[in-house]
Amino acid sequence: MNAYIEDVARHEGQQVTIHGWLHHRRSSGKIHFLVIRDGTGFIQAVMSKAGVDEQTFQTADHLSQETSLVVTGTVRQDRRAPGGYEIDVTSLEVISGSENYPITPKEHGVDYLMDRRHLWIRSERQAAILRVRHEVVNAVRDFFNNRGFILADTPIFTPAACEGTTTLFPVQYFEEQTAYLTQSGQLYNEANAAALGRVYCFGPTFRAEKSKTRRHLTEFWMVEPEVAYAGLDDVIELAEGLVTSVVARVLDKRRHELTVLERDISKLECVRAPFPRISYDDAARILREKGLPFEWGGDFGGTDETVLSEQFDRPVAVHRYPSAIKAFYMKPDPERPDVALCVDVLAPEGYGEIIGGGQRIDDYDLLLQRIKEHNLPQEAFEWFLDLRRFGSVPHGGFGMGIERVVSWICHLDHLREAIPYPRMLYRVYP
Ligand code: 4AD
Ligand code: MG
């Protein structure tokens, strides 16, 4: 019977056939230990000289790493085995060879591995990260779908900036026009929210980030909800609900992967509502108390975010940043117009910003003024201004970067491992 490694527990004592690749081989005179992977997991297949015919035993003697093969054998429980089970091999068929596989159990440098990312993802650790990513994405979709949000996709080719003109990727759009790869679906989300109430978009977004930090990719995936008739507090509550639900889901469904990653699970178990909410002013005070030379009015740098997020055992919502350092669409706090009704959620353990959002300007005149102040081309925003011409309502939302969340949940050093094929300042290969 064909089986996947993740299901072998259901087949204890039975004969199963596994279709996979050789991950590792250890042989002694009378026995071969073959660690097989099939994409769903890893299992040790034990081939004893007595258990197979002469030729099969000989073949196994020469198998190299990543040879594709089909193994049949009996599932046996073994408490010492990593997955709790082993297979006693009765037959083996080689599908295709693999000479000089470039990624061996020895240590390789990150650049070497990144150049071979298409193979590196076969490793146990990388595959575990991608499985966690899958779970995060599924949890996000379920969260919104179960709460009455409508998925409304936003375009990738856009006529103008959403998040500042310095990180736009221009694209030649036929002969005459320049389009830009989207930095965020937010502006279209706002139109969609006025049409559908509660919406989200979920897709790739692009930023020409010249920074070479562990927190920046040039192509990343973002989920963005937007809600009509929502204020800043509603936005923070929604963000809190999303993050707690995603973490709970990974803890529930991806324990094994977290173990492979040697993740300290107790840290993730702290991620429960309510999240602390602090103002930008409070955050600035904390930074100065910690001896950092932070001045009111500036944006938090990587170190600032790290220090702030280390103060709490769960994500923290930092609200009301100075309007001057935030995007053009942020609504000023009516009680204090120099700060915006915005929020960043910072993940703990030094991971920093995973969510950015807030309440949007709903007043036509103020929005037009901001578009001009930011030197944005008004004609490209006429449709966006229409939303304030025709039945404007208070509304808000946020964007959550999937790789930032995966990186934090998996406790990675760098975002590049949180996506199958990372795109960065110096990397568009493979
Ligand atoms: O804070 P940002 O720039 O906010 C927006 O784009 C809003 N328009 C979203 C909205 O309100 N609908 O980006 C949102 C999130 C960040 O918190 C971070 O998680 C992620 O997107 N992000 C990046 N992730 C990887 N690489 C980058 N260069 C990123 N820039 C932002
Ligand atoms: Mg931000």
Side-chain angles (χ1 to χ4, degrees), residues 52-319:
V52 291
D53 61 58
E54 180 68 28
Q55 210 205 319
T56 303
F57 195 79
Q58 290 274 330
T59 307
D61 218 2
H62 303 282
L63 292 177
S64 53
Q65 194 184 346
E66 290 304 320
T67 297
S68 48
L69 38 74
V70 177
V71 169
T72 300
T74 311
V75 178
R76 168 173 48 76
Q77 191 165 35
D78 185 326
R79 296 199 190 288
R80 293 158 307 165
Y85 293 88
E86 289 191 341
I87 290 180
D88 290 320
V89 180
T90 51
S91 73
L92 173 139
E93 181 192 352
V94 172
I95 303 300
S96 187
S98 164
E99 291 298 313
N100 303 319
Y101 186 69
I103 302 176
T104 57
K106 75 164 199 189
E107 288 270 315
H108 299 285
V110 167
D111 278 340
Y112 180 93
L113 291 168
M114 274 295 160
D115 285 340
R116 293 158 185 81
R117 182 65 176 162
H118 53 295
L119 301 176
W120 189 23
I121 53 176
R122 298 182 186 192
S123 78
E124 189 172 25
R125 190 183 145 77
Q126 295 305 315
I129 295 168
L130 295 184
R131 287 170 169 280
V132 170
R133 179 188 169 102
H134 163 79
E135 204 64 52
V136 166
V137 169
N138 262 345
V140 162
R141 292 194 198 285
D142 286 348
F143 178 86
F144 289 116
N145 292 340
N146 292 336
R147 276 167 187 72
F149 281 70
I150 301 296
L151 173 72
D153 297 313
T154 53
I156 305 262
F157 288 135
T158 59
C162 176
E163 293 299 319
T165 49
T166 55
T167 60
L168 282 174
F169 274 117
V171 184
Q172 178 76 44
Y173 199 72
F174 301 112
E175 285 82 36
E176 294 291 293
Q177 223 182 322
T178 303
Y180 303 95
L181 298 182
T182 184
Q183 298 167 308
S184 158
Q186 180 194 321
L187 307 186
Y188 299 92
N189 258 352
E190 292 186 39
N192 294 343
L196 298 157
R198 285 164 295 170
V199 298
Y200 70 105
C201 64
F202 194 170
T205 46
F206 305 86
R207 308 265 170 109
E209 300 274 7
K210 289 263 168 65
S211 45
K212 264 183 80 179
T213 79
R214 62 193 171 99
R215 293 186 179 141
H216 289 98
L217 298 170
T218 55
E219 176 179 327
F220 61 96
W221 282 67
M222 180 153 56
V223 60
E224 299 179 82
E226 191 73 26
V227 181
Y229 289 101
L232 178 61
D233 290 339
D234 304 312
V235 169
I236 296 177
E237 214 169 287
L238 187 65
E240 181 181 76
L242 174 64
V243 173
T244 49
S245 130
V246 166
V247 171
R249 171 79 160 265
V250 174
L251 281 171
D252 181 34
K253 298 265 176 141
R254 297 293 162 185
R255 281 276 161 162
H256 173 70
E257 285 77 3
L258 294 174
T259 310
V260 167
L261 297 167
E262 298 176 337
R263 181 61 164 117
D264 181 349
I265 283 170
S266 70
K267 292 272 196 323
L268 294 176
E269 284 169 342
C270 295
V271 182
R272 287 199 221 105
F275 294 169
R277 290 146 162 80
I278 63 171
S279 66
Y280 170 93
D281 294 356
D282 297 333
R285 202 172 310 122
I286 292 172
L287 290 175
R288 280 195 303 271
E289 278 165 16
K290 294 281 155 197
L292 286 154
F294 187 79
E295 302 236 356
W296 197 97
D299 205 354
F300 300 130
T303 315
D304 302 320
E305 275 187 13
T306 302
V307 169
L308 282 175
S309 70
E310 279 168 356
Q311 306 308 309
F312 304 95
D313 70 345
R314 62 194 74 189
V316 54
V318 184
H319 54 81

Side-chain angles (χ1 to χ4, degrees), residues 114 117 129 133 213-220 351 353 401-408 412-420 422 424:
M114 274 295 160
R117 182 65 176 162
I129 295 168
R133 179 188 169 102
T213 79
R214 62 193 171 99
R215 293 186 179 141
H216 289 98
L217 298 170
T218 55
E219 176 179 327
F220 61 96
Y351 277 87
E353 182 188 342
I402 293 301
E403 293 75 19
R404 296 264 181 103
V405 171
V406 170
S407 178
W408 159 51
L412 308 181
D413 295 335
H414 197 298
L415 244 53
R416 65 190 160 213
E417 289 183 50
I419 185 167
M424 294 174 288

Side-chain angles (χ1 to χ4, degrees), residues 326 344 353 356:
K326 286 290 177 184
D344 277 7
E353 182 188 342

